[in-house]
Amino acid sequence: MGVDLGGTKILAGVFTTSLKIIGRSKMSTKAERGSESVIDRIAHCVQDAVDECDLSLKQVRGVGIGAPGSVDTENGRVMFSGNLGWKDVALKRELEKHLGVPVFLQNDCNTCALGVHEVELEAKPRNMIGLFLGTGIGGGLILEGKLYVGFNRTAGEVGHMVLEVNGPKCTCGNRGCWEALASRSALFRQVQDAVKQGQKTILTEMLGSDLRDMRSGDLRKAIRQGDKFVAHIVEEAANYTGIAVANLINVVNPEVIVLGGGLMDALEDEMMPVVVKSAREHAFPGSDKGLKILASKLGDDAGITGGAVLARRETK
């Protein structure tokens, strides 16, 4: 099984050993209720997915879970997650108590990168970067065919590249991080702040003045109805994303860069042309020769697919 634990939702998927998905379940995270409640909700989500397939937990070989933030994979702990408000949570141990099944933990974007590399790209690129734009922004590095986690196992925290030194405050405590400029949370904050200052937008007609139920798809709808304000905010986020991609091209020089996550799924048509143009303009001359910059086709399934890849590897 694969589980994708996000700041806003939990997704669980049941897979065959050949990584074919046969059932899934989705639940809101409700992170504000605290870690115990979230772990309980993860367990319920896993059980629901298993029930949907008319299976039992006894038939599950292992559960791979991707969690946002810095993760101690050896000890199965989430050390810090700004999006969940967690510090040093023993996720593996507590979830194994609930499920009675081996649980394997990895950073959420590392897990998504595993899923994209192994299943979508059939493990072909030797060097790949996966970038995932959702509630936050994170990445996963596949170098020489293997997931690269770094010295303290925190490699891939690309969302905390500082792109604007005096920019908006980020959940990590810094200012001007890519995540604070171009994540779904950042875009929603920019829209809400502008509306409070009198900015007119189709979104308030669609959702009401508080914009409380805003989703990424609402931004797409507003742009397609001719909302120039929303189009500008999304274009700016795409431009920042292109600059971040260029920085990564310069440092890592991969064969493929894949962009995914809920924000990219909803706004691929609006963002990808700007991202690619900006990335190629800012990359060191010659460094992007032959490089492919793609949008992932796995969509929401990248995380659960990567979780299943992780569980399969760890239980062989």
Side-chain angles (χ1 to χ4, degrees):
M1 288 195 67
V3 176
D4 185 11
L5 172 59
T8 51
K9 73 175 188 301
I10 301 160
L11 191 61
V14 184
F15 291 77
T16 65
T17 49
S18 58
L19 299 176
K20 181 187 173 189
I21 189 161
I22 55 173
R24 73 183 78 225
S25 179
K26 190 175 182 177
M27 195 177 277
S28 57
T29 308
K30 300 199 184 294
E32 69 280 0
R33 295 184 182 179
S35 60
E36 281 183 33
S37 174
V38 171
I39 292 167
D40 192 48
R41 292 176 74 77
I42 296 167
H44 276 103
C45 197
V46 167
Q47 185 65 67
D48 288 349
V50 171
D51 289 346
E52 190 191 300
C53 305
D54 296 321
L55 297 172
S56 77
L57 279 168
K58 289 177 183 174
Q59 291 166 281
V60 175
R61 200 164 83 183
V63 176
I65 181 166
S70 57
V71 169
D72 178 351
T73 52
E74 274 190 24
N75 296 302
R77 304 180 80 88
V78 177
M79 303 312 296
F80 172 78
S81 175
N83 291 333
L84 292 171
W86 285 11
K87 280 187 179 177
D88 195 20
V89 173
L91 180 55
K92 172 183 164 71
R93 185 188 70 207
E94 294 306 313
L95 199 51
E96 284 180 342
K97 279 185 198 172
H98 279 75
L99 299 174
V101 171
V103 172
F104 307 96
L105 178 63
Q106 184 53 265
N107 167 269
D108 59 345
C109 292
N110 283 346
T111 310
C112 287
L114 278 176
V116 168
H117 184 255
E118 185 94 5
V119 176
E120 186 173 354
L121 301 181
E122 300 172 339
K124 286 176 182 172
R126 292 288 294 160
N127 297 287
M128 182 204 96
I129 301 177
L131 303 172
F132 304 96
L133 286 71
T135 308
I137 296 177
L141 311 177
I142 305 289
L143 302 181
E144 299 304 322
K146 294 179 180 176
L147 180 67
Y148 177 78
V149 294
F151 175 56
N152 288 317
R153 302 182 187 87
T154 59
E157 285 293 344
V158 294
H160 300 288
M161 254 191 288
V162 175
L163 300 182
E164 199 176 288
V165 174
N166 298 311
K169 193 87 181 278
C170 183
T171 55
C172 73
N174 280 335
R175 286 192 172 276
C177 293
W178 177 18
E179 181 171 301
L181 295 162
S183 65
R184 179 171 55 222
S185 306
L187 266 64
F188 286 5
R189 187 195 66 246
Q190 288 168 39
V191 170
Q192 287 162 338
D193 288 351
V195 166
K196 282 176 191 169
Q197 290 164 22
Q199 174 66 49
K200 300 296 180 192
T201 169
I202 290 166
L203 290 168
T204 52
E205 296 168 27
M206 290 164 50
L207 303 166
S209 58
D210 64 358
L211 300 171
R212 190 167 38 197
D213 297 321
M214 189 162 38
R215 299 283 181 268
S216 301
D218 296 323
L219 301 180
R220 181 185 64 239
K221 288 175 193 169
I223 292 170
R224 291 181 184 178
Q225 287 177 46
D227 193 320
K228 289 182 180 175
F229 160 67
V230 176
H232 171 71
I233 278 187
V234 169
E235 184 177 349
E236 203 169 49
N239 189 49
Y240 275 124
T241 298
I243 293 167
V245 167
N247 289 339
L248 291 165
I249 292 168
N250 293 347
V251 173
V252 181
N253 191 221
E255 296 156 62
V256 182
I257 292 181
V258 183
L259 289 99
L263 188 69
M264 191 54 63
D265 290 346
L267 292 161
E268 179 186 336
D269 292 345
E270 289 74 18
M271 291 185 74
M272 276 303 287
V274 180
V275 170
V276 173
K277 183 172 182 285
S278 175
R280 295 200 186 276
E281 282 175 357
H282 288 93
F284 184 74
S287 64
D288 64 331
K289 186 182 176 185
L291 168 80
K292 292 178 182 173
I293 305 173
L294 313 168
S296 172
K297 300 303 175 202
L298 273 180
D300 250 4
D301 285 349
I304 56 173
T305 304
V309 170
L310 178 66
R312 187 175 73 165
R313 283 184 184 180
E314 295 292 339
T315 55
K316 266 190 176 175

